[in-house]
Amino acid sequence: MPQKTAGFAGPKTVTAAVESIAAQARQELLADSDLDIEQLRVAAGAAATGCDCADLYLQAGATEAWMLENGKVRTGNFSAIRGMALRALAGTASSLAYADSIDAASLARMRSAVGAAVRSGGREKIAMPGVAGRFVPRYRLGNPIAGPDAVKTALLARINELARAADNRLVDVQASLALGHSTVLIIRHDGESFADIRPMVRISIQAILAEGNRTETGMAGFGGRDSRILEDEQLLQKTTEEAIREAGVKLAARAAPAGTMPVVLGNGWAGILLHEAVGHGLEGDFNRKGQSAFSGRVGEQVAHPAVTVCDDGTLDGRRGSLSCDDEGIPSACNVLIENGILKGYMQDAMNASLMATAPTGNGRRESYAHLPMPRMTNTYMPAGNHEPEEVIASVKKGVFCKSFSGGQVDITNGNFVFSASEAYLIENGKIGAPIKGATVIGNGPQAMQKLSMVANDFALDPGIGTCGKNGQWVPVGVGQPTCKVDELVVGGTAV
């Protein structure tokens, strides 16, 4: 499993750090407003009249993006958001009103709209859970956007320089730098308030190589909630070389085979298959509604005994991590499947209450203009006991998928299809020629039963993942060690 720390604030300074974050958030969100924290508490409490519970969510944030193409930085974008939302809950009914401003007049209109809508809703009673203690800060404060533009464009120019010096087959290198900063303040109807300040950075690199009449593109990137990684020259060079290496592998690739065979999944980014094929099926809303292949199966053997699956928002500085979720619940390391046994689901407050369980710190929303719902943070499979070479050696004929470029899954039955971005033949227990056009087809729960070997080379992805659900997009992380699924359908073009 990933190495754990006590967060960026030491145990003796956690309270001071949380109070500092709260003070900064109030200053940024309320200093130019005609509202104060007490008025917000009163409004949230009043919104719960005739309902089960209510909360206010205030947010101010910005994103910035720079793009390198054809050797030059050609695009720079900046956008900012600022607003607030009032949510009221009555059983399964949710009502959300939001405004693109933070002021008393907007708040009054929101209160009127929310109250009229939700009181005609569901009759199942829910309760907003209490919060035991305060969260531990999981990322360093600082605004990545605040740095000089010249430093940002120089970073992209450096990628261009490194790529063009690395391989004479390079046709072009495209790179993007994305920066983000978001401040949130959450006020519940019971008067509790929570604040968080969330930085984000991401580098994406595409290397285009040509050889003969073939052209291929390799992709790589890195990111997280700590802008200091942008100063890591070694990481920048390694990532640039990785994009070029992947493109070179594709140039040498042959057509993928087709048929049912063992599939070995690489460590790190290949965990995207676990995220999609299993993770979404373990989100609380799907299971409360009986829509998941895992619904009603807590306590059952749903995977091979070698399989454990965790969702962990407490990993310091990781892309999917949160100090607290968007309902003020501290993030946690949630063991979802342990030694093949389903232990529980990822929950937000509403679904947790309706399912008579506790929230897990997975209530997330894209912005103030969206309702929170159960979402993953960093979802991974911890290390097993086998050596990676031992896993490969156990396969006489099969496919090794190092990474995936995309896929889709049907939550109701667990069926999935994924496209491998880098894959190889396995022949007589050894990794052979690279292949292209490979797709992996299977069923999430069935694949977990057939996942028979888990290696000891656990790795997290480099910090580039984004997850979509019901039209909302949030940053996430994935990870796993090398592992073997005894039988999956591989779609290819070779006979």
Side-chain angles (χ1 to χ4, degrees):
M1 295 177 66
Q3 183 178 359
K4 296 288 185 177
T5 74
F8 284 118
K12 293 182 179 180
T13 60
V14 166
T15 299
V18 171
E19 290 175 353
S20 175
I21 290 169
Q24 290 183 51
R26 293 178 189 179
Q27 173 67 23
E28 183 171 350
L29 293 163
L30 301 176
D32 297 327
S33 171
D34 56 355
L35 292 168
D36 59 35
I37 190 68
E38 292 306 320
Q39 290 172 292
L40 294 172
R41 287 193 173 106
V42 170
T49 303
C51 307
D52 295 336
C53 48
D55 58 17
L56 275 161
Y57 187 92
L58 285 69
Q59 181 183 21
T63 59
E64 187 175 87
W66 301 84
M67 177 70 73
L68 171 82
E69 190 175 12
N70 295 323
K72 295 182 179 180
V73 178
R74 298 186 177 274
T75 305
N77 295 316
F78 176 86
S79 63
I81 63 169
R82 182 180 177 85
M84 60 180 174
L86 178 63
R87 176 182 65 149
L89 302 172
T92 57
S94 299
S95 180
L96 181 78
Y98 66 90
D100 298 328
S101 59
I102 301 174
D103 56 70
S106 296
L107 181 58
R109 289 191 292 270
M110 288 160 51
R111 286 177 56 181
S112 176
V114 164
V118 79
R119 287 173 195 139
S120 61
R123 294 296 90 210
E124 295 178 79
K125 191 75 173 175
I126 66 169
M128 191 70 76
V131 178
R134 296 292 184 181
F135 65 75
V136 175
R138 297 297 173 184
Y139 20 84
R140 299 178 188 276
L141 297 185
N143 187 346
I145 298 175
D149 291 347
V151 173
K152 303 164 189 174
T153 55
L155 183 65
L156 294 177
R158 179 59 177 157
I159 292 172
N160 182 67
E161 179 184 354
L162 290 169
R164 295 186 183 280
D167 197 310
N168 58 17
R169 296 173 296 174
L170 187 79
V171 174
D172 191 22
V173 57
Q174 300 175 0
S176 64
L177 169 63
L179 308 169
H181 187 256
S182 179
T183 300
V184 301
L185 179 61
I186 305 156
I187 301 99
R188 305 192 334 173
H189 73 278
D190 59 7
E192 288 272 17
S193 65
F194 312 89
D196 201 10
I197 300 174
R198 301 167 177 170
M200 185 69 77
V201 298
R202 172 175 162 162
I203 288 278
S204 298
I205 302 172
Q206 296 185 52
I208 304 169
L209 300 188
E211 192 170 54
N213 60 356
R214 291 185 61 182
T215 301
E216 296 287 353
T217 300
M219 302 180 65
F222 64 88
R225 293 192 182 274
D226 187 349
S227 60
R228 295 181 305 170
I229 61 175
L230 300 178
E231 303 168 7
D232 190 334
E233 170 75 11
Q234 185 176 359
L235 178 59
L236 191 69
Q237 182 170 348
K238 178 183 176 181
T239 305
T240 305
E241 292 172 350
E242 175 63 17
I244 293 171
R245 185 201 64 78
E246 184 180 280
V249 168
K250 291 179 179 179
L251 285 173
R254 64 176 70 171
T260 301
M261 62 191 74
V263 174
V264 176
L265 307 173
N267 66 348
W269 183 237
I272 190 66
L273 190 149
L274 179 74
H275 167 104
E276 294 288 355
V278 178
H280 278 297
L282 297 177
E283 291 169 334
D285 49 353
F286 295 130
N287 289 280
R288 177 179 64 81
K289 299 171 185 176
Q291 296 174 343
S292 168
F294 295 99
S295 296
R297 301 188 65 189
V298 172
E300 294 183 16
Q301 188 91 31
V302 298
H304 190 281
V307 175
T308 293
V309 177
C310 303
D311 184 84
D312 190 351
T314 70
L315 305 177
D316 289 348
R318 296 298 305 181
R319 181 171 172 83
S321 295
L322 294 167
S323 297
C324 68
D325 71 5
D326 291 318
E327 297 178 304
I329 305 298
S331 60
C333 178
N334 298 296
V335 179
L336 306 173
I337 298 173
E338 185 174 27
N339 301 326
I341 304 295
L342 180 59
K343 293 295 185 179
Y345 308 116
M346 291 167 278
Q347 301 284 11
D348 64 350
M350 183 185 80
N351 286 282
S353 182
L354 291 168
M355 296 179 75
T357 187
T360 58
N362 291 94
R364 304 188 65 185
R365 61 205 299 169
E366 181 179 324
S367 75
Y368 66 87
H370 301 84
L371 281 167
M373 63 179 119
R375 302 296 301 272
M376 284 173 273
T377 57
N378 303 297
T379 309
Y380 58 80
M381 182 190 306
N385 298 320
H386 295 281
E387 296 293 332
E389 298 78 10
E390 184 183 357
V391 177
I392 298 294
S394 71
V395 178
K396 183 176 181 180
K397 183 179 181 180
V399 168
F400 171 61
C401 294
K402 188 176 187 296
S403 60
F404 294 94
S405 57
Q408 58 186 22
V409 61
D410 185 336
I411 298 299
T412 60
N413 55 31
N415 292 336
F416 63 80
V417 179
F418 279 86
S419 300
S421 57
E422 183 177 349
Y424 300 81
L425 293 174
I426 301 177
E427 298 175 303
N428 297 318
K430 297 184 181 297
I431 294 179
I435 54 177
K436 63 177 182 177
T439 58
V440 177
I441 304 165
N443 175 274
Q446 292 176 14
M448 290 299 98
Q449 295 283 0
K450 297 176 181 178
L451 200 158
S452 61
M453 296 182 74
V454 181
N456 56 13
D457 60 340
F458 173 84
L460 290 163
D461 79 282
I464 57 176
T466 301
C467 174
K469 176 181 175 182
N470 295 348
Q472 294 192 44
W473 295 87
V474 296
V476 296
V478 300
Q480 66 177 41
T482 299
C483 55
K484 182 181 77 170
V485 182
D486 292 332
E487 185 178 275
L488 285 174
V489 175
V490 176
T493 57
V495 178

